[in-house]
Amino acid sequence: MRPLAQRAFAEWLGTAFLLAAVVGSGIMVERLASGNAALALLCNTIPTGAILVVLILAFGPVSGAHFNPAVSFAFAIRQQARWTDTAAYVAAQIAGAIAGVWIAHLMFDLAVWQVSTTARTGTGQWIAETVATFGLLTTIFGVAARTPQATAYAVGLYITSAYWFTASTSFANPAVTIARALSNTFAGIAPDGVVPFIAAQLAGACLAIPVARVLWRPQIDAAVKA
């Protein structure tokens, strides 16, 4: 296993690239889509799904390429990661996410410090975040149990799909949620929506853990023993 500092740096850098892609593509589509919301969402979806595949392939061998506190917590709960490592990962992910947002702002000549005014709230949105995160964790657990080499592609495709079938456009990531509150652009979320989104995301992750144990228990037990 690589040193924790190296793994945490990989989580920081990978999450920064992820948010630069999410927010940067959102800024670009605002400038090019001429108010066409469907086209804007599509053009925000494709870079997000694509960059996830690239980042997981690149950083997976170093840190596991979580880029998501919900994923890190889930692995710790399943005893596949130490809690001390998880704390370092989560701190790195949140810091990296914020850095990625600021980098996106700098690339497009926007003010670095912003606070979003885009309201994303309501029961439907919270249910959507629960579903989105449940689906993401189930995808990761299921694919990792049988064909781990395909995880990068499965995650990228899942998020690409979930952008469109969830009412919230599938944040599915507490670090992403926090960072997007600091961007008053297409991808933003108003700060008062952050805590309910994160609560829903963690609920979805917790629901995925027993489901994965029922569906893939032999593979999970073998992974824990390893």
Side-chain angles (χ1 to χ4, degrees), residues 139 178 211:
T139 297
I178 292 168
V211 170

Side-chain angles (χ1 to χ4, degrees), residues 73-87:
F73 276 125
F75 276 102
I77 291 169
R78 298 205 314 169
Q79 299 181 341
Q80 290 178 271
R82 292 190 292 265
W83 282 105
T84 52
D85 290 5
T86 298

Side-chain angles (χ1 to χ4, degrees), residues 57-186:
L57 289 173
F59 294 105
V62 180
S63 67
H66 297 184
F67 313 138
N68 186 335
V71 174
S72 298
F73 276 125
F75 276 102
I77 291 169
R78 298 205 314 169
Q79 299 181 341
Q80 290 178 271
R82 292 190 292 265
W83 282 105
T84 52
D85 290 5
T86 298
Y89 271 36
V90 170
Q93 291 155 1
I94 294 171
I98 294 171
V101 167
W102 288 347
I103 289 167
H105 292 167
L106 288 170
M107 288 193 294
F108 287 92
D109 295 319
L110 298 177
V112 173
W113 178 257
Q114 302 180 21
V115 176
S116 178
T117 59
T118 302
R120 299 179 189 264
T121 189
T123 303
Q125 299 255 337
W126 303 331
I127 292 172
E129 279 302 292
T130 303
V131 171
T133 313
F134 172 83
L136 173 62
L137 269 295
T138 303
T139 297
I140 292 170
F141 294 153
V143 176
R146 300 301 298 270
T147 52
Q149 67 277 10
T151 301
Y153 307 102
V155 169
L157 289 170
Y158 174 80
I159 291 297
T160 299
S161 173
Y163 252 75
W164 287 85
F165 77 73
T166 62
S168 61
T169 67
S170 185
F171 284 41
N173 184 327
V176 165
T177 306
I178 292 168
R180 286 172 65 168
L182 300 177
S183 184
N184 194 26
T185 62
F186 181 82

